[in-house]
Amino acid sequence: ACATTQLEGKLTQGSGGGAGSLYPYIVLTNTGGTCTINGYPGVSLSAAGKQLGAAALREPGTSTTLTVQHNASVYAQLQITQATNLPESSCKPTAAASVVIYPPNQQQAITITTKSFTGCANSNTPIIRVKALQAGQGNSLVTNPSFYAFVARCNLHLTNTTKGSVV
């Protein structure tokens, strides 16, 4: 099994956003020897060292055992509902400071610092859904040539960030 200590995590823009949700990808890259991974990562938002809202709910689907070579990656798509669209009384929107990821069957987490999301202080409010891990890094907008063509047509400017933060 792939141990947390041999995985490096990052968030990518994934498939963007729409209908009140964002769809980033969690990408886990193997920095150690060949290992296997299967299932769903545990995911939550955090602020001041405390979990915001409920942990991610699993999207129904099939998971397969993936063999991950050194420097290869696996990814899982998230759906994060924008907390500001929920009733304030039931959510209590709170800015997240990080995304906490538990690789399948691991008890040590990977923490990615980000200011891109708002969670719910109410621990009973689920706003994240996660799909099973898949091979690769996904077809993120950031790596999709048509996305760059769109950016050029609109005369937009992009800032690329380093690992450990949202791209």
Side-chain angles (χ1 to χ4, degrees):
C2 296
T4 302
T5 54
Q6 73 186 97
L7 297 172
E8 185 176 275
K10 69 177 179 179
L11 289 170
T12 67
Q13 190 165 358
S15 57
S21 293
L22 300 171
Y23 298 90
Y25 294 160
I26 292 170
V27 178
L28 302 176
T29 300
N30 181 10
T31 60
T34 300
C35 60
T36 58
I37 197 164
N38 180 6
Y40 296 79
V43 182
S44 61
L45 297 177
S46 176
K50 295 184 180 182
Q51 182 174 312
L52 294 175
L57 302 173
R58 294 177 176 183
E59 280 285 328
T62 304
S63 66
T64 58
T65 299
L66 304 168
T67 299
V68 190
Q69 304 291 330
H70 176 72
N71 285 332
S73 299
V74 295
Y75 76 99
Q77 182 182 42
L78 301 179
Q79 176 186 352
I80 302 178
T81 301
Q82 295 190 32
T84 53
N85 292 339
L86 301 173
E88 190 168 330
S89 59
S90 63
C91 172
K92 299 180 180 69
T94 305
S98 60
V99 175
V100 180
I101 304 160
Y102 286 89
N105 304 312
Q106 298 296 306
Q107 295 180 341
Q108 182 179 349
I110 297 169
T111 301
I112 300 172
T113 302
T114 179
K115 295 182 183 199
S116 299
F117 308 111
T118 299
C120 294
N122 183 341
S123 62
N124 296 319
T125 307
I127 65 165
I128 305 173
R129 298 184 76 81
V130 61
K131 291 186 176 184
L133 287 166
Q134 300 177 55
Q137 296 192 28
N139 188 19
S140 173
L141 287 175
V142 174
T143 60
N144 186 330
S146 63
F147 174 71
Y148 286 110
F150 169 77
V151 169
R153 280 195 314 273
C154 296
N155 196 26
L156 300 174
H157 300 280
L158 297 178
T159 301
N160 191 7
T161 59
T162 59
K163 72 180 182 181
S165 58
V166 174
V167 176

